[in-house]
Amino acid sequence: MRATPPRPAVKVPPVAADIDKVPDIHDVIDSRAITPVFQPLISLATGDLVGYEALSRGPAGTPWESPAALFAAARTAGRDSELDWVCRAAAYRAALAADLRTALFVNMEPASWRTPCPPDLAGVVDEAQRHLHVVTEMTERALADDPSGLLAATTSCRAAGWGVALDDVGADPMSLALMPFVHPDVVKLDMSLLHAPTERHTAEVVAAVGAYAEASGATILAEGVETVEHELTARTMGATVAQGWYYGRPAPLPATPPARTAPLPPVCAPAAASGTPYEIVAAHRPVVETTKSVLMPISHHIEALADGGQVLLACFQDARHFGPATARRFARIATASPFVAAFGVGLAAEPAPGVRGAGLQGDDPLRGEWNVIVVGPHRSVALVARDLGDTGPEAERRFSFAVTHNRDLVVAAARSLLQWITPVRAAALGLVLA
């Protein structure tokens, strides 16, 4: 019989209670000792209850009662994905017991998207899929950590009939760049915006979120409402739903369901396009033949549009085309852009500082394409080109190409590329929901 490896030790912060009685973080996770509490979400138009956000607490009176300390310790122990499943299952169990009929917002940690559901929790997760209206909250960290996992997670959530919310929008520039990829049903404005309503950054975030909501039908939710003034500010930002201490602090679900509730309007995600960027765009736009020397200035111009706040994705066919000058240019762009990635045979995981690399196989269909795609809150453009196989001088190599500013086509092409990017951290493969 193989010996069980020792569990990683986790430093326990001091507490007033007898230190010998403080549970180890492993004990907390093993015993599923998580208590969910719920904060109401309120319609600003009617005052009706729209739903609850589930929040997790560790054992009372221990260092792990705070969710921040709880998850920090779990990450140190390498068990944050399992803890995330435990927290979500605890919220589902409480909502099912209360026969909750409104929306239930539940946070999901990026690392758990590729981790299978623990067998002892599968039953409650399955029941939640059948009986609850869950809205899964995601953050901008997901795009940098695991873009392909993010797409799989959103697809899986919607396959279960659940909604998707993008959390803390405005706290990080990446959250705005992420919106087109997640296509959230609900956009949650970070509470910091309510405290700085006259700042330029706040105006930029509100404008971008408003444009997205108008085009998609998404709900804007303001977090951190604590006063009447905060509520008025949330309304001016376009929010129709709010949460915060002004409406109620986190607590157990009420024994009696509220008399008045309001549903969240549904948002249908666009159908996923299959194929490479060239195939996706060429199916809707006319293509033209030209040479590499003609395409180079077009490519550089589109790259330069990613001047801050935009995602830049570029396919180079082969690592030899990502030379020192290109590496310097992309590293410079990466200092101001939330996410920059390069694709090509032989490319390293980080071909330039701040740039994510995706190495392709020699027979990968993407190897024959030269793509430059920029997606941001207000701008989207894509150059897609396919190598026609010439063997003559490099500058005279011919490509069939198209350029599009159609946002739906650009986002579809970009989403197809994200599937080639592997997670930053290795994780076990598994279904997202169960």
Side-chain angles (χ1 to χ4, degrees):
M1 179 180 295
R2 185 170 57 185
T4 302
R7 299 184 302 186
V10 179
K11 185 177 180 181
V12 179
V15 290
D18 185 348
I19 195 68
D20 293 333
K21 297 180 180 179
V22 174
D24 179 279
I25 185 62
H26 297 288
D27 297 329
V28 173
I29 298 174
D30 291 341
S31 62
R32 311 314 198 201
I34 299 299
T35 300
V37 289
F38 301 85
Q39 188 169 40
L41 313 177
I42 303 299
S43 167
L44 290 176
T46 64
D48 293 344
L49 178 76
V50 171
Y52 292 93
E53 179 179 358
L55 305 167
S56 299
R57 302 290 185 265
T62 73
W64 322 129
E65 182 174 3
S66 159
L70 181 70
F71 271 92
R75 290 189 189 98
T76 301
R79 300 185 67 183
D80 49 321
S81 295
E82 183 180 1
L83 175 61
D84 186 63
W85 276 109
V86 173
C87 291
R88 282 183 281 146
Y92 300 155
R93 190 177 291 108
L96 289 165
D99 194 25
L100 186 67
R101 300 301 176 90
T102 60
L104 175 65
F105 283 59
V106 179
N107 292 277
M108 180 185 284
E109 284 289 303
S112 71
W113 294 349
R114 292 183 180 272
T115 305
C117 176
D120 64 301
L121 304 179
V124 69
V125 172
D126 179 67
E127 191 175 355
Q129 290 185 31
R130 290 184 282 112
H131 297 292
L132 296 178
H133 177 199
V134 175
V135 179
T136 302
E137 295 193 23
M138 305 175 180
T139 67
E140 74 281 346
R141 285 182 295 142
L143 185 60
D145 286 352
D146 185 4
S148 59
L150 177 142
L151 298 183
T154 57
T155 299
S156 186
C157 287
R158 290 192 165 108
W162 291 358
V164 174
L166 186 57
D167 198 13
D168 301 332
V169 172
D172 189 290
M174 189 176 288
S175 58
L176 293 179
L178 182 61
M179 278 196 301
F181 300 100
V182 177
H183 196 83
D185 307 284
V186 179
V187 179
K188 300 188 73 175
L189 297 176
D190 187 75
M191 64 178 65
S192 63
L193 301 178
L194 290 180
H195 297 280
T198 61
E199 295 291 330
R200 178 178 177 180
H201 169 71
T202 299
E204 292 173 349
V205 171
V206 169
V209 170
Y212 169 77
E214 183 177 5
S216 66
T219 296
I220 301 176
L221 187 156
E223 298 179 290
V225 175
E226 299 179 356
T227 65
V228 174
E229 290 73 20
H230 284 166
E231 185 180 73
L232 292 173
T233 301
R235 292 175 184 273
T236 66
M237 292 179 174
T240 57
V241 177
Q243 72 179 105
W245 288 1
Y246 185 62
Y247 311 106
R249 299 200 177 197
L253 287 171
T256 304
R260 296 175 57 188
T261 62
L264 283 171
V267 174
C268 296
S274 60
T276 65
Y278 178 87
E279 292 167 344
I280 291 170
V281 173
H284 300 276
R285 299 290 299 158
V287 297
V288 178
E289 290 185 13
T290 192
T291 63
K292 179 178 179 178
S293 60
V294 173
L295 285 181
M296 285 298 294
I298 300 175
S299 177
H300 289 170
H301 168 69
I302 293 176
E303 290 173 10
L305 295 178
D307 56 359
Q310 288 85 30
V311 171
L312 171 62
L313 309 173
C315 299
F316 290 88
Q317 296 188 276
D318 194 276
R320 63 188 175 89
H321 299 307
F322 193 86
T326 302
R328 289 192 296 270
R329 188 167 68 251
F330 269 61
R332 185 174 63 252
I333 293 172
T335 62
S337 296
F339 190 79
V340 178
F343 306 73
V345 175
L347 272 179
E350 190 177 14
V355 178
R356 288 289 298 276
L360 308 177
Q361 300 298 316
D363 59 351
D364 195 301
L366 202 58
R367 186 185 186 184
E369 295 191 8
W370 175 359
N371 304 307
V372 183
I373 302 175
V374 171
V375 180
H378 303 290
R379 175 187 290 154
S380 55
V381 59
L383 160 67
V384 297
R386 173 165 287 175
D387 194 330
L388 296 179
D390 293 340
T391 57
E394 184 71 16
E396 298 307 313
R397 287 171 52 212
R398 290 178 304 137
F399 290 80
S400 176
F401 86 101
V403 174
T404 180
H405 295 264
N406 180 290
R407 189 169 184 81
D408 291 340
L409 278 181
V410 174
V411 171
R415 285 173 63 91
S416 75
L417 278 185
L418 292 182
Q419 299 175 37
W420 268 268
I421 301 176
T422 56
V424 170
R425 297 183 301 273
L429 293 177
L431 296 178
V432 175
L433 293 173

